[in-house]
Amino acid sequence: MDKFLIDGGRSLSGTVHTQSAKNSVLPLLAASVLTEKQVTVEEVPPIADALCMMQILRELGAKAEFCGGNVVIDSSDACSHELSSALTKELRSSVFMLGSLLTRFRRAVIAYPGGCDIGLRPIDLHLSALKRLGVKIEEREGFIFCKCDTLRGAEIALDFPSVGATENILLAAVKAEGKTLVHGAAKEPEIVDLQRFLNAMGAKVRGAGTDDIEIEGVKSLGGVCFRPIKDRIEAGTYLMACAICGGEIEVTGVSPENIRLLLHKLRENGCKIHAKNDKIRIYSSGRLKCNRRIETMPFPGFPTDLQAQATALNSGAEGGAVIAENLFETRYKYVPELRRMGADIEVKGRLAFVRGVKRLHGASLTAGDLRGGAALVLAALGAEGTSEVFDLSHIDRGYADLQGKLTALGARIKRIRV
Ligand code: UD1
């Protein structure tokens, strides 16, 4: 068990290179078992969620190893379609294995998936979509048993643009008989990345990034070597760190288009932003104005995965902000921790009312989930005095070397074994 020891109040400067997107890498690793040929996913960050997904692949009988910074998967010997509950409970993305395993084996058994405790996170949309493709599903004793004789293309309308359900449909329909149409699909850049990956394997998918996706089933898929897009949430976290601490940094690798709304909000805070190609430069005086309102929405709206960091930022800014969380029910668990630092935040249902205080002060804090944990780190970087952040396992799920990257930008943050 490690903790961060953070001395707040240092401004940031320098360049930070963004890691590959967690939310792209995870479905790509799941998709690797769609073929018996070798798959290479380049530049996979050594985050705990990716390591867990690799462990899941091994449990199926596949080989999944780091080779340099790339992950090479050979699933020619994969023979199991069952995942134990230990790993699936670790990771919400284990649910993607349903689509992949059904395509590969016509069978899949997984335990109910875990992941961050940020709300109910049902998988009803995944399951009803799979049923439309001809899958028979039984749920008993905490497990989901899926089987089918053939996967058949179908027209599927999603009641909500769920990222995971859209990805699962792609994975299950890619070799199905005939054509699948998805209406009301999620439009996140990571879905476009999955389409690029599948098409590079020989699939026929189009429309990702819009409401309607069309998948024409193909007979076979080949191997692929693929470089995923960069992590817009990680990039956003560093931009917000600089906004809070003051200074000037450049974040490279992410298309500004993929975090347009965040850049708009940071300008509202009083930061200067220059964005060109895949480089985003931010300048902040450290004295910020509150955003009047931030509403989390499916892409291209403000990402729920940056909501906690935005609340931390507004806590130490001038004025007041209303944050509306529209995706997950209990995504304010970090708020009591921010209050220990002197933040003035009231949560009412899905709304958080933030009254900015002059300066947060250091405190002893515990990360309760991935992005909430990142928000505590940001708040501590901007606070007066020293903070400790415990339970880093949550943060390790999505940020590779957070402390190294922040140190390189001039922050005072140490990782200590406790
Ligand atoms: C993905 C991201 C996560 C991000 C989220 C929303 C990955 C690995 N994770 O999670 O980081 O916060 O998108 O952008 O890509 N829902 C249902 N039934 C379902 C599925 C979802 O009701 O079957 C609801 C969820 O409870 C939630 C909303 O839909 O309220 C969004 O969930 P979804 O888009 O599916 O998120 P994930 O794929 O779990």
Side-chain angles (χ1 to χ4, degrees):
M1 284 279 272
D2 291 356
K3 69 170 180 183
F4 282 144
L5 197 63
I6 300 170
D7 271 336
R10 307 257 306 178
S11 62
L12 303 186
S13 68
T15 300
V16 60
H17 302 289
T18 312
Q19 69 189 26
S20 296
K22 167 177 92 67
N23 289 353
S24 191
V25 164
L26 297 176
L28 299 187
L29 291 176
S32 68
V33 302
L34 294 171
T35 176
E36 293 189 16
K37 302 278 169 29
Q38 184 171 297
V39 170
T40 303
V41 183
E42 293 186 343
E43 296 178 0
V44 173
I47 48 176
D49 276 9
L51 302 181
C52 183
M53 194 53 129
M54 289 166 70
Q55 199 51 37
I56 287 177
L57 296 175
R58 289 188 202 111
E59 192 174 273
L60 299 169
K63 293 189 193 82
E65 298 303 335
F66 266 102
C67 187
N70 306 336
V71 170
V72 180
I73 304 114
D74 174 353
S75 69
S76 53
D77 290 335
C79 52
S80 170
H81 62 270
E82 294 185 20
L83 291 178
S84 71
S85 58
L87 284 168
T88 41
K89 283 197 167 26
E90 284 272 304
L91 183 64
R92 164 100 182 158
S93 307
S94 52
V95 74
F96 300 134
M97 293 313 301
L98 280 182
S100 299
L101 288 173
L102 282 163
T103 293
R104 177 79 182 257
F105 298 115
R106 303 279 178 269
R107 298 271 180 285
V109 180
I110 70 163
Y112 264 95
C116 277
D117 181 15
I118 52 176
L120 282 174
R121 306 191 88 172
I123 56 166
D124 54 317
L125 298 171
H126 299 243
L127 300 186
S128 54
L130 292 175
K131 282 181 191 159
R132 298 274 305 150
L133 295 170
V135 180
K136 294 199 171 56
I137 300 176
E138 263 186 63
E139 297 172 69
R140 56 186 146 87
E141 290 149 21
F143 281 84
I144 305 160
F145 296 80
C146 300
K147 62 177 179 183
C148 60
D149 297 326
T150 353
L151 287 161
R152 273 186 309 278
E155 196 161 350
I156 301 168
L158 287 172
D159 291 332
F160 182 86
S162 155
V163 175
T166 302
E167 291 169 340
N168 234 335
I169 296 170
L170 260 58
L171 296 171
V174 72
K175 283 173 78 181
E177 259 174 32
K179 198 182 272 183
T180 298
L181 293 171
V182 191
H183 304 298
K187 294 184 281 215
E188 269 66 3
E190 292 76 17
I191 312 256
V192 180
D193 220 28
L194 179 59
Q195 168 179 281
R196 278 202 305 134
F197 178 87
L198 294 172
N199 287 345
M201 291 170 101
K204 288 190 177 157
V205 184
R206 45 176 214 204
T210 73
D211 294 309
D212 301 302
I213 302 181
E214 188 180 302
I215 308 138
E216 208 178 307
V218 294
K219 287 257 173 319
S220 73
L221 293 172
V224 63
C225 179
F226 187 85
R227 181 168 299 181
I229 51 164
K230 300 296 183 208
D231 199 312
R232 58 198 167 96
I233 305 302
E234 192 213 21
T237 303
Y238 287 110
L239 290 170
M240 290 157 105
C242 181
I244 291 172
C245 295
E248 186 169 1
I249 68 165
E250 185 168 81
V251 176
T252 66
V254 162
S255 160
E257 275 305 292
N258 289 348
I259 45 170
R260 199 161 16 138
L261 216 54
L262 171 67
L263 299 185
H264 172 69
K265 290 292 168 191
L266 286 168
R267 287 192 179 105
E268 241 175 53
N269 294 129
C271 300
K272 290 198 177 73
I273 310 262
H274 294 287
K276 205 170 174 200
N277 302 325
D278 66 349
K279 288 193 175 68
I280 304 170
R281 184 166 273 279
I282 178 169
Y283 166 78
S284 164
S285 66
R287 287 183 302 278
L288 303 176
K289 293 187 285 283
C290 276
N291 301 109
R292 256 169 21 94
R293 190 175 175 93
I294 292 183
E295 291 254 358
T296 66
M297 291 284 181
F299 191 84
F302 193 90
T304 172
D305 288 350
L306 288 174
Q307 177 261 103
Q309 299 90 315
T311 306
L313 184 153
N314 279 281
S315 297
E318 194 189 317
V322 179
I323 315 285
E325 172 54 58
N326 295 309
L327 276 292
F328 295 108
E329 302 83 0
T330 56
R331 213 167 189 180
Y332 289 124
K333 286 193 173 159
Y334 62 89
V335 165
E337 299 300 295
L338 286 182
R339 283 201 200 109
R340 295 154 73 93
M341 307 179 82
D344 183 353
I345 307 169
E346 194 183 345
V347 175
K348 281 190 186 158
R350 65 182 188 89
L351 299 178
F353 298 90
V354 183
R355 278 174 294 268
V357 298
K358 205 152 192 197
R359 195 100 197 248
L360 299 178
H361 54 77
S364 182
L365 309 162
T366 304
D369 65 82
L370 167 56
R371 306 304 171 185
L376 299 182
V377 171
L378 297 198
L381 289 171
E384 208 164 82
T386 305
S387 299
E388 301 172 295
V389 181
F390 290 91
D391 230 344
L392 301 187
S393 59
H394 295 289
I395 296 175
D396 292 340
R397 295 183 49 188
Y399 294 91
D401 197 20
L402 181 63
Q403 153 245 351
K405 285 182 163 180
L406 285 171
T407 303
L409 294 175
R412 281 226 182 107
I413 170 168
K414 279 196 199 121
R415 189 171 178 129
I416 296 171
R417 182 130 298 173
V418 286

